[in-house]
Amino acid sequence: KKMVDNGMIYLGSYEGWYSVRDECYYSETELVDGKAPTGSEVIWQAKEPSYFFKLSAFEDRLLEYYKEHPDFIAPETRKNEVVGFVSGGLRDLSISRTSFKWGVPVPGDDDHVMYVWIDALANYISAIGYPDDEENFKKFWPASLHVVGKDILRFHAVYWPAFLMAADLPLPQRLFAHGWWTKDGEKISKSLGNVIDPLELVEKYGVDQTRFFLMSEVNFGSDGDFSHEKMIQKVNTNLANELGNLCQRTLSMVFKNCGKAVPAEVGPYTDEDEALLAKARALRQTAGGAN
């Protein structure tokens, strides 16, 4: 209603390519070999009445916001994708359908139901009280961080900020798009039956081994591939061989040269100790600034 009051919604008609799996509309130029950029199938939506959101009116405003808030979207590669998409020009967004009746009716027009991202994204704020519970809403909004999959970043980094701007509401402080966890090079899906059960991994390999694989092989923000062969190789090479060898050598040295025990009291740090600790402390800053 706030967006309607601000003149950001109008009635028109829509036709074009739509992906059911992605819940997204694509232009002809975005299709790759007749499919969505994600590889999902698309269908042609015949012309039908639709309410539209004036997304095109926010192109310059979004680009300016990205420029003024360089940390709004992370990692950097994803931010560049979003900026490139918006710079290519935004079209007004179809936000309702008349060809089916399930869904949330458009206020004041029961012939239309809202579809699809405008009602889904609004749950972020309606769940915490907007617009009825102002105190609770202000307690939790704006969100400090949205963590989303890379395949739905466009909706959160373009559509969602534009919706909030149109309703005169503050934007979340930051968006982070994580990658996909694939299995044997294929995207995980129920239809393929290649879902990974973390509890089964823990039971088979151990909890520390599973944590180590995920932390070392799946960089946050990037895709990561899992296979049992990789898991076994990682555990054997880095843990059993390298870490095991380090522990064996360290314990042997303690046994031979330190009275078979770790010193109970630690003396003042040497210059070499301080240099090593400084490198360790710098790792946090390095990791925090990595994209």
Side-chain angles (χ1 to χ4, degrees):
K1 188 177 184 303
K2 189 70 176 291
M3 290 190 287
V4 172
D5 293 342
N6 288 342
M8 293 300 163
I9 306 292
Y10 66 92
L11 182 62
S13 60
Y14 174 83
E15 63 179 352
W17 296 104
Y18 179 73
S19 166
V20 176
R21 191 182 79 181
D22 296 345
E23 296 182 327
C24 181
Y25 304 102
Y26 294 102
S27 66
E28 191 77 35
T29 57
E30 290 181 286
L31 300 184
V32 179
D33 296 328
K35 295 184 178 181
T38 60
S40 64
E41 299 290 340
V42 293
I43 58 175
W44 180 258
Q45 291 278 0
K47 194 170 185 178
E48 65 172 302
S50 175
Y51 282 95
F52 284 81
F53 171 71
K54 292 182 179 179
L55 184 64
S56 59
F58 292 88
E59 181 178 328
D60 293 338
R61 192 171 170 184
L62 285 169
L63 291 173
E64 186 65 24
Y65 190 86
Y66 302 150
K67 183 178 180 180
E68 293 178 353
H69 301 80
D71 295 329
F72 178 59
I73 304 171
E76 188 76 16
T77 52
R78 302 299 174 204
K79 182 180 77 171
N80 293 338
E81 291 175 6
V82 171
V83 171
F85 174 76
V86 176
S87 299
L90 295 177
R91 299 179 302 156
D92 290 350
L93 183 67
S94 171
I95 58 171
S96 75
R97 283 288 176 267
T98 58
S99 54
F100 50 83
K101 295 300 180 184
W102 60 267
V104 179
V106 171
D109 192 341
D110 291 339
D111 291 334
H112 290 252
V113 293
M114 289 189 282
Y115 195 73
V116 56
W117 283 97
I118 191 168
D119 58 326
L121 291 167
N123 284 311
Y124 284 124
I125 55 177
S126 63
I128 55 175
Y130 183 83
D132 302 316
D133 188 345
E134 185 176 355
E135 180 180 355
N136 200 61
F137 174 65
K138 288 184 176 180
K139 179 180 179 181
F140 294 104
W141 194 263
S144 58
L145 177 67
H146 277 337
V147 180
V148 301
K150 67 176 185 179
D151 50 334
I152 57 173
L153 178 60
R154 179 193 301 183
F155 313 118
H156 287 78
V158 182
Y159 301 169
W160 183 222
F163 292 161
L164 291 169
M165 289 175 178
D168 301 321
L169 293 172
L171 275 59
Q173 296 176 21
R174 199 178 196 206
L175 301 170
F176 196 103
H178 63 76
W180 290 336
W181 196 18
T182 59
K183 183 178 181 183
D184 298 316
E186 291 186 312
K187 186 179 178 182
I188 295 174
S189 71
K190 293 180 181 179
S191 58
L192 292 176
N194 61 349
V195 175
I196 303 171
D197 186 339
L199 296 180
E200 291 180 2
L201 294 183
V202 169
E203 183 177 353
K204 184 172 184 177
Y205 299 109
V207 64
D208 287 333
Q209 292 88 332
T210 301
R211 286 171 176 162
F212 178 74
F213 179 87
L214 293 175
M215 293 296 290
S216 60
E217 287 292 303
V218 186
N219 295 322
F220 194 45
S222 303
D223 292 344
D225 188 59
F226 172 85
S227 70
H228 289 283
E229 291 77 12
K230 288 182 178 179
M231 180 75 158
I232 293 170
Q233 181 181 15
K234 195 71 179 176
V235 170
N236 288 342
T237 300
N238 296 130
L239 296 182
N241 294 341
E242 295 174 352
L243 182 60
N245 184 51
L246 174 63
C247 290
Q248 194 275 333
R249 288 174 179 270
T250 303
L251 293 174
S252 295
M253 183 187 72
V254 170
F255 187 86
K256 292 178 181 179
N257 304 309
C258 302
K260 304 178 183 179
V262 176
E265 295 184 6
V266 179
Y269 291 148
T270 65
D271 291 341
E272 290 80 5
D273 292 333
E274 292 290 358
L276 183 61
L277 289 170
K279 289 183 178 180
R281 295 187 188 103
L283 288 175
R284 179 176 182 181
Q285 182 178 355
T286 302
N291 291 311

